[in-house]
Amino acid sequence: MKKKGKNFNMDIVIRSYEDKDISKIQQLNKEEGWTNLVENHSATKEAWQNSNVAYVVELEGQGVIGYVRGLTDTRVTLFICEMLIDQKFRGLGLGKELLHYIHSVYPDTRLELLANQSSRSFYEGLNFRPFYGFRKLKEE
């Protein structure tokens, strides 16, 4: 999908992930401080290859500036594992555009995701509501 956004004067493309995108994705992860994804590169790459929701955001002349990765059963639930927009391009509506796009691909699903303190207000501003959940790492 190629479009000009109302909050930004630039051509963006949202497209399916390709293996060639992993280096830019890992660069974005590193810049964000998501070291677990960077340090476990082969697992991160396999996760992308095995996810049925895997899209990148490209900006004309800049390449990949964001992404979303998740899982869906296509009917009830769409779970977003990670979503990230390059810090230089935040506040332009790209994250919102990306969420709208993937929800339009799977319109019958509910969107679920985890957020941290810094992203909480972004999701609340898009009318997401908190819900209670649990997490356990493989080492625990």
Side-chain angles (χ1 to χ4, degrees):
M1 175 195 88
K2 186 172 184 170
K3 88 185 279 181
K4 269 197 194 291
K6 58 184 172 191
N7 295 330
F8 45 92
N9 187 22
M10 57 186 92
D11 287 331
I12 65 162
V13 174
I14 299 173
R15 64 164 175 80
S16 295
Y17 163 81
E18 299 171 8
D19 283 341
K20 68 178 178 148
D21 300 321
I22 194 67
S23 61
K24 181 60 180 180
I25 287 168
Q26 289 290 53
Q27 179 184 338
L28 290 170
N29 289 337
K30 184 176 182 180
E31 290 169 3
E32 189 65 19
W34 292 356
T35 56
N36 187 46
L37 296 173
V38 177
E39 291 169 359
N40 297 302
H41 180 75
S42 60
T44 299
K45 185 176 180 179
E46 284 184 47
W48 273 91
Q49 292 168 336
N50 292 313
S51 296
N52 58 352
V53 176
Y55 295 92
V56 297
V57 179
E58 283 188 328
L59 175 61
E60 192 172 346
Q62 298 288 323
V64 174
I65 61 164
Y67 69 78
V68 64
R69 185 184 74 80
L71 305 166
T72 186
D73 55 27
T74 75
R75 295 292 177 250
V76 177
T77 303
L78 189 164
F79 179 77
I80 297 172
C81 302
E82 294 107 27
M83 186 176 93
L84 185 58
I85 301 294
D86 186 317
Q87 290 181 10
K88 296 182 293 285
F89 298 99
R90 291 183 190 165
L92 302 175
L94 297 171
K96 179 179 178 180
E97 190 70 35
L98 187 53
L99 288 171
H100 284 306
Y101 177 77
I102 63 168
H103 208 198
S104 73
V105 175
Y106 306 101
D108 297 327
T109 61
R110 63 181 180 227
L111 283 176
E112 295 186 355
L113 54 91
L114 300 173
N116 59 27
Q117 279 303 111
S118 62
S119 63
R120 180 180 179 156
S121 61
F122 169 75
Y123 293 111
E124 287 176 338
L126 297 176
N127 295 320
F128 281 78
R129 65 186 185 318
F131 69 98
Y132 188 70
F134 294 92
R135 174 181 279 173
K136 183 175 180 183
L137 301 176
K138 63 183 178 183
E139 307 84 39
E140 300 173 322

